Amino acid sequence: MNNNLLILGGSGFIGSALCEKLVRRNRGGNERITVASRRLSHARHLQPLPTVEIVEADLYDDDQLARLVAGRDAVVNLIGILHGREQDFERVHAELPRRLALACLAAGTRRVIHLSALGADAQAPSMYLRSKAAGEAALLQQPGLAVTCLRPSVVFGAGDRFINLFATLQAFAPLVPLAGAAARFQPVWVEDLAEAILCVLDDPATAGQTLECAGPRVYTLAELVRLAGCWSGHRRWVWPLPSALAWPMAWCMEWMPGGPLMSRDNLLSMEVPNVASGHRPGLESLGITPTPLEAIGPGMLGGGGELARLDRWRAQVHASR
Ligand SMILES: NC(=O)c1ccc[n+]([C@@H]2O[C@H](COP(=O)([O-])OP(=O)(O)OC[C@H]3O[C@@H](n4cnc5c(N)ncnc54)[C@H](OP(=O)(O)O)[C@@H]3O)[C@@H](O)[C@H]2O)c1
């Protein structure tokens, strides 16, 4: 039984969906969920959720991490970054899992669910994917822990920073110059991914496994941008950039105020198809039928925030077909 959970990175996109799901199913009303955040304000939107406690913590402080993991039935690690320098990726994706592994071991907290990414590999071209592989290894190779890694493709849903971003861009830009237009993705719905985390939490037999979490269809990036434009009512011309232009464009975007929209490291990540290999268990192994993007995208983008709330209803219709 996992009644006492610690969620690291619970304030983020996937963590928020997971917290909602956990609270909704709260078995017998005795589940206790702690979300650790660098700033309480980052998790403010979780405050209305009963049984979720938000604590401010510095996870790089050994004493604080030890106190946080002590007495937990399981820890879910959702901490990740998409942009940064080599040392940032190393610190967040590799060092933190290493420290988490040691803290859990010392506290006797054996069960850990870790969010990695499709394409994680020590030999991958990007810092992002190499550091994700190092984080997986740090946890999976720690004897004494029962770790399950989940490797999602790109995740979509209300509040994502992928499909929604492409829709927003097209609302303002007359055309979309697109780097990595031919890169392939297999987008997975955030609710399916959150359900998968619940399933593995409930199933100790998944310990030691690395699951690939992907949707039912593969798309190129250009197709995804066009769909986002179409569903949001702002379809623009998509201009696939040749690599001679893609690299300088990505470099420029790294310097954008408010954080990069894209980086050269993202371009390197896109050299690896973000598609399930089929060599590892997927959502189906957990009894989850992946929801198509087409079942969610139009409602999510077509009418703004309110219609996004129809996500679940659409998925239920899909599931009952
Ligand atoms: N979203 C996707 O499409 C996708 C695809 C593949 C893999 N993933 C992986 O899934 C996990 C969750 O993704 P997400 O989309 O929910 O991410 P997210 O919305 O960016 O949330 C990640 C959380 O990590 C914490 N965080 C960020 N930078 C940190 C740092 N430098 N030190 C400590 N904590 C930090 C933040 O929590 P606080 O600000 O509260 O501290 C944030 O809420 C990540 O590991 C990500 O790499 C996501």
Side-chain angles (χ1 to χ4, degrees):
M1 264 301 193
N2 293 301
N3 289 331
N4 186 350
L5 296 178
L6 171 68
I7 306 183
L8 308 179
S11 67
F13 167 52
I14 297 166
S16 302
L18 174 65
C19 287
E20 259 192 56
K21 236 182 219 303
L22 280 164
V23 167
R24 227 179 303 126
R25 74 139 191 197
N26 191 358
R27 292 166 304 196
N30 57 358
E31 222 158 46
R32 188 180 148 211
I33 302 151
T34 304
V35 169
S37 174
R38 288 166 299 171
R39 294 266 176 286
L40 289 180
S41 60
H42 295 183
R44 196 185 293 127
H45 58 287
L46 299 178
Q47 269 167 359
L49 293 179
T51 69
V52 173
E53 183 196 7
I54 302 155
V55 295
E56 196 168 270
D58 174 4
L59 302 176
Y60 296 94
D61 178 304
D62 285 337
D63 292 340
Q64 292 191 42
L65 188 58
R67 275 198 298 275
L68 274 172
V69 300
R72 306 292 175 183
D73 296 311
V75 178
V76 182
N77 180 26
L78 301 168
I79 291 180
I81 55 173
L82 202 50
H83 308 290
R85 299 158 301 167
E86 181 125 37
Q87 57 268 40
D88 302 321
F89 285 114
E90 157 64 25
R91 186 171 147 84
V92 176
H93 291 165
E95 183 193 329
L96 188 58
R98 260 180 236 128
R99 298 164 67 104
L100 179 62
L102 294 176
C104 285
L105 209 59
T109 300
R110 291 189 70 242
R111 191 76 176 112
V112 180
I113 315 300
H114 178 67
L115 261 280
S116 181
L118 267 188
D121 190 301
Q123 308 303 324
S126 69
M127 297 183 284
Y128 173 79
L129 291 174
R130 286 195 300 272
S131 60
K132 279 290 191 186
E136 279 187 7
L139 283 159
L140 283 167
Q141 289 168 12
Q142 183 66 64
L145 296 185
V147 179
T148 307
C149 287
L150 299 180
R151 291 181 168 186
S153 183
V154 67
V155 186
F156 67 90
D160 71 44
R161 268 159 278 148
F162 189 66
I163 301 290
N164 278 289
L165 176 69
F166 294 137
T168 308
L169 276 177
Q170 288 175 85
F172 297 103
L175 83 152
V176 185
L178 191 63
R184 293 192 301 142
F185 294 90
Q186 199 169 350
V188 59
W189 190 33
V190 67
E191 295 290 329
D192 289 341
L193 181 58
E195 186 63 35
I197 298 172
L198 250 61
C199 288
V200 297
L201 273 170
D202 286 345
D203 184 2
T206 59
Q209 288 185 4
T210 299
L211 290 101
E212 297 186 326
C213 302
R217 238 194 90 184
V218 175
Y219 306 79
T220 64
L221 185 61
E223 282 174 324
L224 290 170
V225 173
R226 288 191 189 103
L227 284 172
C230 185
W231 291 332
S232 63
H234 302 286
R235 189 168 177 170
R236 306 287 185 243
W237 185 54
V238 176
W239 176 31
L241 288 179
S243 60
L245 291 178
W247 288 101
M249 169 105 171
W251 182 81
C252 290
M253 287 178 121
E254 287 171 23
W255 300 99
M256 283 181 75
L261 284 181
M262 142 119 26
S263 66
R264 286 166 293 170
D265 197 62
N266 294 158
L267 273 186
L268 288 169
S269 288
M270 287 196 279
E271 288 179 4
V272 181
N274 205 255
V275 167
S277 70
H279 301 315
R280 296 176 186 275
L283 291 178
E284 294 81 356
S285 73
L286 303 171
I288 299 169
T289 304
T291 306
L293 176 61
E294 285 78 1
I296 304 300
M300 186 171 88
L301 300 177
E306 279 310 303
L307 280 185
R309 295 190 178 279
L310 292 175
D311 270 15
R312 285 183 198 98
W313 175 78
R314 284 170 186 280
Q316 278 164 14
V317 172
H318 162 71
S320 64
R321 273 193 202 131

